[in-house]
Amino acid sequence: MGGRQKQLIRTLKSFSNTPLLCNRSVSLTEYFLGKHSLHCTFSGAVRVMLRETSVEAIQGDSVVLPCSFFTISPLSRLSIIWTMTPLSDPDSPAQVIVFDHGQVIASPAFTGRIAFTGIPWSADVVLNRTRVSDAGVYRCVVSNPPETGDPGIGELSLTVLAPPSLPVCLWEGDTDAGGSVTLSCGVAEGVPTPTIRWEKLQPNPIALPTNMESDMSGSVHIANVSSQTSGLYRCSVTNLLGSQNCYINLSVYSPPHSTPGILQGVLVTLSMAVVLLALLVLVLWLHRSEQERKWRNGREEAEEEDECYNEIRYTPSLIKRSFV
């Protein structure tokens, strides 16, 4: 008996505590392919054993999903079905890949990425170019008619690790002094779940308390904002595979700061300005009135002088006429 057959026999014995009894020696290959006429007795149905119950892969890498089985019947009617149940929808298992009567059929979502590695002796499959959506509970179901009993079933969970995707930063609220502002940050992807951290970068770095609204989003609420609130804010999302950031530049409008002393000073200044303006108007009015008075007086004096001149001018002629 060759080394491969001995190895397979040892593998078979590891699957079962019940010995396989035949009426004559036969190669294991002949037995499993049905190329013999001997009679054997064995109790039990197809048995499935998984070397691992939990497997991890990094997004984009390849991973092997192990599934070994034991059967005492020929493999001409062997059937292997792999199904996957998403973690997000435990009630919706979907077929991944099938081996039936020598034919291999893969689900459209896995076509070109999944394949059996050891048919018909093993039900192992390799999954290439893994995606986050590939994560879930995988079930390996093996049956081999006419073997009696239920099919052999094994389950394992697949976790696909991925760095955080680029987060999205948003803000809402009132940026006038005294208002309230909420800064929010959300990330669509990241396994394990990223930690979310908010901090103010300028003028001095300050870590801010983050309110986790869900596993993939966090926010910061700032009440009674002022000019001191203005600055650059950063949201960081981090897990084992990396970190991503997004930023918000917040500007708060603050009107000029007023105090009672400044207000009183302004009022006093305005009052003094009004008084000075009134005095200036009064001085100008008095000056104009004085000018008008002088002008009137000068005009009256001029008129009186004209009248006196006329009287003196006509008097000699009158005298001359009286002597003639």
Side-chain angles (χ1 to χ4, degrees), residues 166-171 183-186 198 233-236 245-248:
L166 186 66
V168 176
C169 285
L170 300 171
W171 71 269
L183 311 180
S184 61
C185 174
W198 273 102
Y233 292 79
R234 177 175 68 187
C235 172
S236 301
N245 305 305
C246 61
Y247 301 86
I248 288 179

Side-chain angles (χ1 to χ4, degrees), residues 193-205:
T193 301
T195 58
I196 299 178
R197 179 187 178 193
W198 273 102
E199 58 185 336
K200 184 180 180 183
L201 298 181
Q202 297 175 349
N204 297 314

Side-chain angles (χ1 to χ4, degrees), residues 172-182 200 220-230 233 250 252-255:
E172 61 180 358
D174 183 6
T175 56
D176 290 337
S180 297
V181 174
T182 299
K200 184 180 180 183
V220 171
H221 182 72
I222 306 174
N224 194 25
V225 298
S226 66
S227 59
Q228 300 298 321
T229 311
S230 298
Y233 292 79
L250 189 65
V252 176
Y253 171 73
S254 297

